[in-house]
Amino acid sequence: MNANPQGPLAGVKVIEIAGIGPGPFCAMLLADMGAQVLRIDRADRVDTPQEREARFEIPHRGRPSVAMNLKHPEAVATLRGLLRETDVLIEGFRPGVMERLGLGPEACAEINPRLVYGRMTGWGQSGPLAQRAGHDINYIALTGALHAIGPAEGGPVPPLNLLGDFAGGSLYLAYGIVCALLERQSSGRGQVVDGAIIDGTHSLMAFIHAAHARGDWRTERASNMLDGGRPWYGVYETADGKHVAIGAIERPFYAELLHKLGLDPDTLPGQHDAAGWPELQARLAAVFRTRTRDDWCTLLQDSDACFAPVLDMDEAPQHPHNRARGAFVEVAGVNQPAPAPRLSRTPGAIAGPAAHAGQHTRAALAAWGLDLKAVDALLSSGAAAQSRRP
């Protein structure tokens, strides 16, 4: 499995200590952009019945898997040797775990002062909650983001695990790693990137905090412009029980929406007349229930009414816009999102499907400079494991 030689991160060598969720997704982002990523899976997970079919593990795509037992001294010694020629290390354990393995930032900096050490956690490396377990929903709860999402008459609604794990976590860790690599060009030194999901989510809330600070955002759910609190920015049900999304904030776009819907603005409350919003919302809802979602697509898709159909995950890859942009690609029979963002000269590319644990142990360690006899010794000692799956 070869990295994309044309990608903007071609030549960057990354070791990923396998984890779940945001850590692997960060590694996927780097691999999509050409980084040579070596995934270190746990040796005790090789060829187990619990292991899912690898090709469906989309966030694991584009890099080989080496299985090692990091509680074995020979495995740790081998990994320390690999780090001498590595640019980035990614790990997602609780604070202190890598230190106890002899692979903490200080120990690794002694081996390779140029190493960028990426740490993926929920609560961060410090603070009262640093050692506590948690998941996306817990992290975003503490930032105020979860409280802001949901209906006025109900409780907060988890936005999948997109906001915390992947936006606040993976994307910010990848950004921090690239920043550290860029800074290293002048200093010659690596550094630690504390990729705390809670920190990234706080940062993502900057726009909302700004609105709140100037008095334009209330803490009550569905009472603001972007949370469903305005009739002209929200979701409406159609005649077939499906939904459309409307975002006609600006005056000309709102006027276009009313025109396309056949509504006379003189018979409606003003767009910014808060007292008239319940009536306006009811009028819009009634109109949208008169046609199917696809009928509204035919009428509104090519207008500036700020309209889009609400698609499910099966429908999204088939939408003409997504198809025209090649937003989804097929790898090993699995349809999946293409690399993003798009670069004009050095585009990203998927190097291959996800590997199952230990699929490439022997070949990948050899490709990273280990003598095959040394690799076989690791396998014999139990420090590493090679999958027998094809």
Side-chain angles (χ1 to χ4, degrees), residues 112-136:
N112 179 0
R114 292 175 55 83
L115 182 71
V116 173
Y117 198 110
R119 315 199 79 170
M120 184 77 265
T121 64
W123 304 116
Q125 296 297 313
S126 61
L129 296 176
Q131 290 295 335
R132 301 283 72 82
H135 280 293
D136 177 289

Side-chain angles (χ1 to χ4, degrees), residues 29-51:
L29 296 173
L30 301 179
D32 282 354
M33 291 299 158
Q36 184 181 354
V37 182
L38 185 67
R39 178 177 168 88
I40 308 297
D41 276 301
R42 285 173 48 171
D44 62 359
R45 293 187 175 174
V46 173
D47 296 339
T48 60
Q50 296 78 22
E51 187 179 13

Side-chain angles (χ1 to χ4, degrees), residues 80-340:
R80 288 168 64 90
L82 293 175
L83 290 174
R84 293 191 182 97
E85 302 298 327
T86 298
D87 298 292
V88 179
L89 173 71
I90 297 174
E91 63 93 6
F93 296 125
R94 295 194 202 192
V97 172
M98 288 291 280
E99 284 82 352
R100 290 193 291 275
L101 292 172
L103 295 166
E106 292 185 4
C108 291
E110 291 179 0
I111 300 168
N112 179 0
R114 292 175 55 83
L115 182 71
V116 173
Y117 198 110
R119 315 199 79 170
M120 184 77 265
T121 64
W123 304 116
Q125 296 297 313
S126 61
L129 296 176
Q131 290 295 335
R132 301 283 72 82
H135 280 293
D136 177 289
I137 193 171
N138 309 119
Y139 311 136
I140 67 172
L142 215 64
T143 66
L146 179 58
H147 181 275
I149 301 170
E153 303 303 324
V157 176
L160 307 182
N161 64 335
L162 300 179
L163 177 56
D165 280 353
F166 300 127
S170 307
L171 289 173
Y172 273 81
L173 180 59
Y175 170 63
I177 286 170
V178 173
C179 286
L181 289 172
L182 182 63
E183 190 278 338
R184 192 183 69 174
Q185 294 180 2
S186 57
S187 70
R189 299 170 57 198
Q191 58 185 301
V192 178
V193 181
D194 181 357
I197 293 171
I198 191 170
D199 292 346
T201 308
H202 281 312
S203 178
L204 289 166
M205 288 287 287
F207 180 87
I208 307 302
H209 277 291
H212 184 55
R214 64 176 179 262
D216 291 338
W217 191 275
R218 299 169 59 192
T219 57
E220 294 82 8
R221 282 183 294 281
S223 63
N224 303 285
M225 183 172 69
L226 302 177
D227 64 357
R230 304 291 185 270
W232 26 267
Y233 193 95
V235 174
Y236 288 93
E237 186 176 3
T238 56
D240 51 353
K242 298 181 180 180
H243 295 85
V244 294
I246 299 298
I249 298 174
E250 293 82 1
R251 182 179 298 176
F253 303 151
Y254 177 69
E256 175 84 352
L257 174 65
L258 296 187
H259 173 70
K260 288 290 186 179
L261 297 183
L263 291 172
D264 183 351
D266 292 335
T267 67
L268 299 170
Q271 181 182 1
H272 300 291
D273 175 10
W277 284 339
E279 178 188 348
L280 178 57
Q281 186 164 36
R283 293 283 300 278
L284 291 174
V287 171
F288 279 115
R289 282 195 294 267
T290 63
R291 303 190 188 199
T292 67
R293 187 191 65 183
D294 290 348
D295 287 339
W296 287 119
C297 286
T298 300
L299 182 66
L300 296 172
Q301 193 74 72
D302 293 328
S303 74
D304 277 341
C306 297
F307 161 90
V310 178
L311 305 178
D312 65 30
M313 290 174 60
D314 292 325
E315 295 172 316
Q318 305 306 319
H319 190 276
H321 186 79
N322 293 333
R323 294 181 66 178
R325 288 184 58 79
F328 290 82
V329 295
E330 186 175 302
V331 179
V334 178
N335 205 34
Q336 55 196 272

